[in-house]
Amino acid sequence: HTAYRRQRQMCIRDRDRLNDAQFYIGKFRDGDEYRKASRTGLNVGNLNWIYWMVEHQKYISPYLKLLHYPYVRHGMPQMKKFVIASTNYSGDARFYILKLVEALGAEFTTSLKQRNTHLITATPVGAKYNAAKKWGNISVVNHLWLEETYASWKLQSASHPRYSHFPRSLEMSDIVGETPLDIEVLKHFYDDGNSDYSANVIEDSEGEDEHASAVITSFRKVLVPKKPSEVNAPGPIEESTRTPSKEDSQKKTSLKE
């Protein structure tokens, strides 16, 4: 009973502290504190958001980048049946796609097999791209399909021309991570219709120098570990130059990177 009372007192103090807070940092979009913080207009983000600001010494809204905001626990049910690989993205861009796939609840694979349902590619070239087209049962799309599915929290059609367009004047890998969150979509996770505050406007707050300085100073005292992309990020993709043969297709062998 003593331990229970102590835990209950700690929970009460935590709720009281939320009233005086400016920021809420959480992993998932659920729980009383998340909903209260969102309804009262706090800046709601996750640790990715903090790492980014400390690294860049600049304040940005947590709504500007998809993975800077708390995730949906267990992902999107419609995505769980998908097995997704990527090609022609490297470094941080490739790691971002991997984390986005996982946040949606799908399975990410480093190799392409006939069990894959989707291939995310930056350009329509390479061994994986050629194999996916030859096998015919894999949807080949750019990363916007993933980002816009996540931002809208609604499965987008992989057959939409927007997701199979690869403009010659633009490197798709250069615009990875530029899709913002949709505030109206986020409200469905916390707004019961009685909120007295609309979530923060999506803006890159370059003019808010005073606010930015306060944010950075607040987190400068925190010992920040290496960002995930420096610890676990896979190396650049080394695409196989071998074209899958008919025997490969029949045996369902995988194209290793």
Side-chain angles (χ1 to χ4, degrees), residues 76 78-86 97-111 113 115-120 145-146:
M76 183 184 295
Q78 299 95 317
M79 293 290 292
K80 292 187 179 297
K81 61 185 177 181
F82 295 148
V83 181
I84 301 173
S86 70
I97 289 173
L98 181 157
K99 300 307 291 184
L100 193 56
V101 168
E102 292 179 343
L104 281 163
E107 178 185 349
F108 183 87
T109 63
T110 57
S111 60
K113 304 176 183 178
R115 66 182 288 263
N116 282 88
T117 58
H118 295 75
L119 176 66
I120 312 297
W145 174 72
L146 278 179

Side-chain angles (χ1 to χ4, degrees), residues 46-80:
N46 60 20
L47 286 178
N48 295 332
W49 177 50
I50 303 303
Y51 295 154
W52 192 98
M53 290 191 293
V54 171
E55 178 184 0
H56 293 84
Q57 293 293 291
K58 175 185 177 181
Y59 174 82
I60 65 168
S61 166
Y63 308 104
L64 275 175
K65 295 185 180 295
L66 299 180
L67 298 183
H68 284 186
Y69 190 82
Y71 305 142
V72 176
R73 196 184 296 268
H74 307 308
M76 183 184 295
Q78 299 95 317
M79 293 290 292
K80 292 187 179 297

